[in-house]
Amino acid sequence: MRIISKKILREFWTKHDDCEQQLKSWFQETSNSSWRNPKEIKKEYPSASFLEGNRVVFNIKGNKYRLIVKINYDYQMLWIRFVGTHAEYDKIDATKI
């Protein structure tokens, strides 16, 4: 899976260093994945939530942080749409971000 863009994660963990290792692990695991559908993601990440428009919400560091991505399964591309605290996540519309 090709992830666009790691820079967003790097900038976030610079401000929230308690999640650096978890975000790096997620990035590495996802980069080495070739998910073809939500079912395959759910096998690796049982707590992932799926939204319309091929968006997936991952819980980071015990749900303290949220990561929203948009996936194109056919092209094996993943775009990071949002990373933030749970409180910041509650203030956005995850289906439109």
Side-chain angles (χ1 to χ4, degrees), residues 27-93:
F27 185 88
Q28 186 65 37
E29 292 165 5
T30 302
S31 295
N32 292 325
S33 296
S34 55
W35 299 319
R36 291 171 286 166
N37 56 54
K39 189 184 238 183
E40 292 182 358
I41 295 172
K42 203 68 166 168
K43 285 180 188 174
E44 289 184 52
Y45 294 96
S47 65
S49 301
F50 299 91
L51 308 173
E52 63 185 54
N54 287 331
R55 285 178 172 77
V56 183
V57 180
F58 293 94
N59 298 320
I60 306 295
K61 192 156 172 78
N63 206 19
K64 183 175 180 182
Y65 302 104
R66 292 278 179 100
L67 172 64
I68 302 173
V69 302
K70 184 172 182 172
I71 298 176
N72 183 313
Y73 296 101
D74 293 334
Y75 291 103
Q76 291 291 290
M77 300 281 291
L78 182 148
W79 291 267
I80 296 172
R81 306 296 294 159
F82 171 86
V83 60
T85 65
H86 196 95
E88 291 168 337
Y89 172 83
D90 289 340
K91 295 177 184 175
I92 64 165
D93 183 349

Side-chain angles (χ1 to χ4, degrees), residues 7 17 26 45 90:
K7 179 182 177 188
D17 62 349
W26 176 88
Y45 294 96
D90 289 340

